[in-house]
Amino acid sequence: MTEELFSSESVASGHPDKLCDAISDAIVDACLAVDKNARVAVETSVKGGPEKGIILLAGEVTLAGEHPDYEGIARRTAAEIGYDSHEIGFDSTSENRCEVILRITAQAANISQGVNKSEQGAGDQGIMFGYACTETEGFPELSGRYFPLAAALSQRLTRRMTNARKDGTLPWARPDAKSQVTIEYENGKPSRVHTIVIAIQHDKHLKEQFGGSEEEELEFVRSEITKHVVEHCIPASLIQEPYNLVVNGTGRFADPGGPYADAGVTGRKIIVDTYGGMGRHGGGAFSGKDPSKVDRSAAYASRWAAKHVVAAGLASKCEIQLAYVIGVAKPVSVRAESFGTSSLSDTELTAKVNSIFDFTPKSISNELDLLRPIYSVTAAGGHFGRTPGVEGEFPWEKLDEAKLSALRN
């Protein structure tokens, strides 16, 4: 029998690219705390080195009020993630070990004039996609997420590795980690976990506990990951022997890691941020951008609408595409697709979505209450499929009963 498989990956908060996303989103939050109408587009790059690492902050910020301490935000954010030691790969706390370079200017006037007018035009041209499905709804641990299963599980694994490191469950773990989950399908529905891949940075001295044996060290790491991460995150009904578990496939992932081992850049993990490849992604990243940037806010709105369509029972899969022109408020196009899972045609579904949801940037920000410092938590663990109010605000994940009722009528 031919296996039907689909895989998604996720990366932890200590991955170099996610470190950059976190710094950029911390700057967004700091600016919105000063001025809810702040215009922010800041990207970060990091790289460690034998003697000294760097954090480069580049972009545009315009706000009414005093600018935050960008260097301090970058250093604190990196330290909170775990990069406070040169030995493990990066020490953001030391000026001798880490240089912060600032290249932040004001938003270009020609962009501002299109965004700041009364109807608030889109901050740029572009296409955005939102996606939802019922794959997670057969599992109590994942109920209400309306999300692709492989993406949901890979995200849970990386969030768990971060939390287990911070709470001392895995004291040998370091911030840099990745996961990948492959799901096997039967008749188009998820049936079991086929493969789990984990890469986790660890204390370089760990093997000393095993007389210098790297084989015993790897077996210990594998055992701990199985017990405290895999079995903690993956619903038991999906773990059917035999399944494949690969931990640190090169044999060892010891200090130094993180930005020392690999440079990082904001916005380089856009599939990790969204649907794990199951749903499409537009052209722009999210982190480092205020809500006037439709790359971010319209992607949230399209996910919000798609989730409502599926939660209302109109389809078991729904993808919504939005497209914008810079300086123009209304999207140039709105398209809903159910992949044949709805009793409505895609044309009918699109018309229904268009009549219930207002996709102008100003309306999106108002309905979802986006002009607040709520974005730092989105930088790792995925922007979608999260539990609002528990893991963070995530207002685009909340269901509105009035809109559900309107969709059903």
Side-chain angles (χ1 to χ4, degrees):
M1 183 179 70
T2 302
E3 295 175 315
E4 183 185 352
L5 307 175
F6 190 87
S7 303
S8 294
E9 71 162 344
S10 180
V11 298
S13 60
H15 184 282
D17 294 329
K18 280 287 134 199
L19 169 60
C20 292
D21 287 344
I23 292 171
S24 293
D25 275 337
I27 289 172
V28 171
D29 280 352
C31 291
L32 290 174
V34 173
D35 175 10
K36 70 176 185 177
N37 294 310
R39 299 290 182 249
V40 187
V42 173
E43 297 186 11
T44 304
S45 182
V46 297
K47 182 67 180 100
E51 300 299 326
K52 196 171 189 178
I54 64 166
I55 300 174
L56 170 63
L57 304 176
E60 301 80 44
V61 175
T62 299
L63 52 75
E66 185 175 348
H67 282 251
D69 174 11
Y70 299 122
E71 177 175 343
I73 291 168
R75 291 187 184 277
R76 287 192 300 274
T77 302
E80 287 167 2
I81 286 172
Y83 288 115
D84 56 2
S85 167
H86 185 70
E87 184 179 45
I88 71 169
F90 203 71
D91 182 2
S92 67
T93 65
S94 169
E95 293 185 5
N96 293 328
R97 290 293 195 180
C98 177
E99 179 183 5
V100 177
I101 302 171
L102 295 179
R103 295 294 184 270
I104 295 177
T105 61
Q107 185 181 60
N110 288 339
I111 296 176
S112 298
Q113 70 183 10
V115 176
N116 293 338
K117 56 190 180 182
S118 60
E119 68 270 27
Q120 188 181 331
D124 202 350
Q125 70 177 51
I127 58 171
M128 298 84 209
F129 289 95
Y131 181 80
C133 64
T134 57
E135 285 193 2
T136 51
E137 298 316 291
F139 308 97
E141 305 95 325
L142 303 170
S143 181
R145 294 177 189 260
Y146 296 100
F147 205 65
L149 186 58
L153 295 179
S154 61
Q155 289 178 6
R156 291 192 85 190
L157 289 168
T158 51
R159 292 197 298 267
R160 173 58 183 168
M161 283 189 279
T162 295
N163 292 336
R165 171 180 60 84
K166 289 184 174 181
D167 69 18
T169 301
L170 302 177
W172 45 266
R174 296 294 183 256
D176 197 358
K178 301 174 78 171
S179 71
Q180 184 171 290
V181 175
T182 301
I183 297 293
E184 183 175 323
Y185 289 75
E186 291 182 4
N187 300 317
K189 294 185 177 181
S191 62
R192 72 182 188 99
V193 167
H194 180 276
T195 300
I196 296 173
V197 180
I198 297 289
I200 185 165
Q201 181 191 357
H202 59 82
D203 182 349
K204 67 181 179 181
H205 301 295
L206 183 60
K207 69 179 181 179
E208 295 171 9
Q209 299 180 25
F210 307 98
S213 170
E214 292 187 6
E215 291 78 11
E216 290 185 39
E217 175 191 63
L218 179 59
E219 183 53 39
F220 170 78
V221 171
R222 188 181 194 277
S223 175
E224 290 290 281
I225 288 295
T226 301
K227 178 180 178 181
H228 296 295
V229 177
V230 174
E231 293 177 358
H232 188 276
C233 294
I234 309 297
S237 61
L238 288 170
I239 298 291
Q240 303 169 22
E241 297 291 349
Y243 79 98
N244 304 313
L245 174 62
V246 180
V247 177
N248 289 354
T250 63
R252 199 161 193 259
F253 183 12
D255 300 331
Y260 189 104
D262 187 13
V265 178
T266 298
R268 200 157 58 177
K269 288 291 179 285
I270 58 177
I271 299 302
V272 166
D273 285 341
T274 54
Y275 309 102
M278 183 67 80
R280 285 177 282 192
H281 192 292
F286 306 150
S287 291
K289 298 174 182 177
D290 74 86
S292 75
K293 278 69 173 176
V294 285
D295 279 340
R296 179 168 224 157
S297 56
Y300 292 167
S302 58
R303 159 63 179 174
W304 193 50
K307 185 173 182 179
H308 276 78
V309 168
V310 175
L314 297 187
S316 58
K317 294 180 184 179
C318 180
E319 183 177 74
I320 292 176
Q321 185 201 48
L322 305 175
Y324 291 84
V325 176
I326 187 169
V328 178
K330 286 188 177 182
V332 67
S333 70
V334 177
R335 182 176 186 271
E337 183 174 354
S338 72
F339 307 95
T341 67
S342 176
S343 61
L344 300 175
S345 69
D346 288 345
T347 300
E348 292 171 321
L349 192 59
T350 298
K352 188 177 277 283
V353 167
N354 237 336
S355 69
I356 293 168
F357 293 89
D358 184 341
F359 294 114
T360 59
K362 192 171 186 177
S363 179
I364 291 170
S365 289
N366 289 340
E367 282 206 82
L368 295 178
D369 197 12
L370 296 182
L371 302 179
R372 300 178 291 144
I374 59 173
Y375 300 103
S376 289
V377 71
T378 69
H383 291 245
F384 308 121
R386 306 291 291 270
T387 305
V390 176
E391 299 176 69
E393 289 289 332
F394 297 98
W396 48 92
E397 292 296 313
K398 296 177 183 177
L399 294 172
D400 181 292
E401 290 299 326
K403 283 183 165 50
L404 289 173
S405 178
L407 284 165
R408 292 176 181 133
N409 292 330

